[in-house]
Amino acid sequence: MTASPTALHPRTTRDEVTARLLRHTAHALRDDALTAAVDLAADRAGPVAAPLPDERAVQAACGIAHVHGRAAGRPLPLAVDYAATAAGLLAAQGVSAVLLARHRGLGLRHVRTSEAQAALLATGQYLAAATAAGDGEEETAAGPVPRTAGLAAADGTPVEIETLDPDAWREFWRRLGVAPSLAGRGWGPFQRRFATAVCDLPDALRQAARETTLAALRDAAAATGVSLLPLTGDPAPAGLPSPWDLTREPGPATGHGPGPGLPHGALPLAGVRVVEATRRVQGPLAGHVLRLLGAEVIRVEPPGGDPMRGLPPLAGDCSARFLALNAGKSVTEADITTPAGRCAVHELVAGADAFVHNWAPGRAERLGLDAPALWRTRPGLVHAAASGFGDAFAPAGPPLGTDYLAQVHSGLAAALRPAGEPPAPSLMTLTDVLGGLLCAQGVLTGLLVSTRTGRGARVDSSLLSAASLVPRPASRTRWTPLDVPLRTADGWLQLPAEAAASPEHLTRAAQLPADSPAMTAERFTERPTRAWVSLLGEAGVTATPVRTDLAALPGDPAFRHAVDPAGPGTPARPRRPWEFA
């Protein structure tokens, strides 16, 4: 496959996403041909030595089904091509990085990546937590009680709420008649849900919501500063934004992009310096990806360091999850709310090629760290802003820009669950990961603009624009009992979609009538997983064991070339998801 958008003919979700992103990059470059073709090889398994026939197999083998299903107490796939979408982003990044390296004198022509590598990158924080020394917090729901953060109003309308303020949380529930001490018991699980993918809310809180009208819930949220969005069953709402907006630095070409002179064998972004003022997942992941491509990344953290460094479990003296996103970056502490702190950022930017932040809209301007201000310090700079919703709620203020509300507003919360189930966002941080990947692609596009024109660029992306990349049908998909992982005598097994859609393929192996999917699913409990893989293989069906123990993943020989094992003070981590030549 060549990377020129005029030559790229999408055949899969991965190809479709890659083509869309490269067309967007070409438009920003005003070069519809991207004249220097790049040989792109993107497949499903990559370096993972296991047969992965489709998206569900990738999700099952690489931990996505396990993490997404934690809140339900059993592994469950996402009903969208999530790994393929993330792989499309990786492919576009690889192509853009090769083009940038060529402009800098490095003779690269080829890049490889895969859906399995994208899935491993998406589960990297959870893998890190599971392999941290003394972790012991692998979260799985016990029994049939869901462990989600979702609520429902008195009329049954499902809603999601969000706040980062414990006082606002307690006051919201006080208005619903919940005692502060009881509301306080729900605060910890609510705040940890992004890290653990489960949320053990006291049932009294859910009951209080069920006894309150939707209008009253909205009033309580508005009065306390809590963000609230109702969920609908529409998986593909109109008006979703484009991947990013790029604005070129005005005036003549006074700046310069990353310089030439890369040595043979260097990574594509070697010599590129990125200053990153980010928090949580979306922004740090963007910097992480740029570092994996070879950039030097400097984090700006508040005095005393990012509070996320202390989030358990620890690997050595630092949070394993924090290390999954920030290992290898250098750190400068500065209080950007003070003139001295802002001056320190300008001094860092004076020697940088890109500045990345994921602040709420308007904060960069208030701090004097917006693109025009930083261009005066560093002409030619790429200024990348990764927000939650961009200007989707203008002129009214947006809700808090967090992963779960982005899933709700984008329709992804409906699309990723089958028809017949209530729409609900996954507690796996889906849009945070896609948002970080998308921000990194925006930075690469900006660097290409800067290198070609000598002028900087401002690139604005969001969790909402990242969610819009995930292809989804106009109506929600329908599943049979064979579409979800099947319980075996010792684990779980995922059938390929083709076998689930045509169960006659299972007749010989399962020894059941083809028109009884529920009975077929029940029969799988009679044999261990490995026996079923063998029996189904003889019948021409490639079934995939479901990964339910992330701590054991680095020791699996099939992942030897895709995952680095844990070491002293270092959690396991996915390897760089591209190969360049």
Side-chain angles (χ1 to χ4, degrees):
M1 179 189 302
T2 55
S4 168
T6 59
L8 187 60
H9 302 289
R11 297 182 300 277
T12 67
T13 294
R14 181 188 64 242
D15 296 338
E16 176 185 340
V17 172
T18 304
R20 180 182 178 189
L21 291 166
L22 290 178
R23 282 193 296 268
H24 210 59
T25 294
H27 178 73
L29 294 173
R30 299 171 186 171
D31 179 0
D32 289 336
L34 282 182
T35 52
V38 177
D39 293 326
L40 169 63
D43 58 21
R44 193 161 285 126
V48 175
L52 300 176
D54 58 16
E55 169 80 20
R56 290 180 190 171
V58 173
Q59 292 188 25
C62 298
I64 289 178
H66 165 58
V67 176
H68 170 60
R70 282 180 181 178
R74 56 167 296 172
L76 289 172
L78 303 164
V80 294
D81 290 343
Y82 181 77
T85 299
L89 278 154
L90 289 180
Q93 291 166 0
V95 169
S96 301
V98 168
L99 292 173
L100 183 63
R102 279 206 200 147
H103 277 286
R104 304 173 64 210
L106 192 61
L108 296 179
R109 292 197 59 84
H110 308 277
V111 60
R112 298 181 62 90
T113 191
S114 69
E115 293 173 21
Q117 288 166 292
L120 291 169
L121 184 64
T123 56
Q125 288 185 86
Y126 307 99
L127 174 66
T131 57
D135 168 41
E137 72 157 41
E138 182 80 353
E139 294 271 7
T140 303
V145 179
R147 297 165 72 186
T148 69
L151 306 171
D155 65 355
T157 300
V159 300
E160 285 288 326
I161 63 172
E162 183 66 279
T163 180
L164 304 178
D165 181 351
D167 293 332
W169 169 267
R170 282 190 290 269
E171 178 61 17
F172 173 82
W173 289 109
R174 189 193 66 78
R175 288 171 178 262
L176 270 60
V178 176
S181 59
L182 182 56
R185 283 173 45 199
W187 175 248
F190 183 77
Q191 281 299 290
R192 289 193 300 270
R193 72 199 192 283
F194 86 95
T196 61
V198 297
C199 185
D200 281 316
L201 283 183
D203 191 60
L205 272 61
R206 301 184 193 279
Q207 184 61 35
R210 287 194 294 266
E211 294 173 354
T212 308
T213 66
L214 178 59
L217 286 175
R218 282 176 160 156
D219 288 345
T224 57
V226 170
S227 295
L228 181 148
L229 289 179
L231 288 94
T232 72
D234 184 1
L240 293 179
S242 61
W244 65 80
D245 294 322
L246 186 144
T247 305
R248 295 192 180 206
E249 179 184 8
T254 57
H256 56 82
L262 292 179
H264 178 73
L267 287 168
L269 264 60
V272 172
R273 179 172 292 176
V274 177
V275 176
E276 169 197 307
T278 67
R279 60 177 187 162
R280 297 177 77 91
V281 178
Q282 174 196 26
L285 180 60
H288 177 63
V289 168
L290 296 171
R291 189 190 68 79
L292 290 176
L293 286 167
E296 175 194 1
V297 180
I298 305 170
R299 275 185 61 78
V300 179
E301 297 186 7
D306 191 319
M308 301 299 288
R309 290 180 175 274
L311 183 72
L314 300 183
D317 59 356
C318 188
S319 166
R321 293 188 179 92
F322 185 89
L323 289 174
L325 300 171
N326 296 293
K329 301 174 183 177
S330 58
V331 178
T332 293
E333 294 185 6
D335 183 355
I336 60 174
T337 66
T338 67
R342 294 191 289 273
C343 181
V345 173
H346 276 269
E347 290 175 357
L348 288 172
V349 164
D353 301 291
F355 177 72
V356 179
H357 72 80
N358 63 333
W359 301 323
R363 190 178 187 214
E365 287 77 7
R366 292 192 297 272
L367 291 171
L369 299 175
D370 55 329
L374 294 185
W375 281 332
R376 289 192 289 273
T377 295
R378 175 65 163 172
L381 182 78
V382 176
H383 184 284
S387 67
F389 294 97
D391 59 1
F393 285 83
L400 277 173
T402 61
D403 185 288
Y404 311 114
L405 295 188
Q407 290 187 47
V408 171
H409 190 67
S410 67
L412 189 59
L416 59 82
R417 299 186 188 274
E421 291 186 11
S426 173
L427 291 191
M428 179 176 169
T429 50
L430 302 181
T431 66
D432 267 333
V433 169
L434 295 182
L437 293 173
L438 182 61
C439 177
Q441 175 60 19
V443 171
L444 289 167
T445 300
L447 289 172
L448 283 167
V449 168
S450 180
T451 299
R452 288 187 173 197
T453 68
R455 288 190 289 168
R458 170 178 169 165
V459 186
D460 292 274
S461 62
S462 67
L463 297 178
L464 185 62
S465 64
S468 71
L469 290 174
V470 182
R472 73 285 300 267
S475 58
R476 298 164 73 193
T477 187
R478 293 191 175 276
W479 282 351
T480 74
L482 300 180
D483 285 297
V484 297
L486 304 174
R487 170 68 90 171
T488 67
D490 62 351
W492 299 87
L493 193 68
Q494 178 69 61
L495 298 177
E498 182 181 36
S502 304
E504 60 271 11
H505 292 299
L506 305 176
T507 302
R508 281 189 298 155
Q511 300 176 3
L512 282 174
D515 60 352
S516 302
M519 293 177 62
T520 300
E522 180 64 26
R523 176 62 63 88
F524 275 83
T525 62
E526 299 174 2
R527 297 174 183 265
T529 302
R530 186 170 296 181
W532 279 118
V533 170
S534 178
L535 282 171
L536 291 169
E538 293 173 4
V541 176
T542 303
T544 305
V546 181
R547 172 72 56 188
T548 58
D549 181 4
L550 292 180
L553 190 149
D556 187 334
F559 289 84
R560 181 163 53 101
H561 298 296
V563 176
D564 285 329
T570 305
R573 58 189 177 191
R575 292 187 174 181
R576 182 177 292 110
W578 316 269
E579 297 173 33
F580 296 100

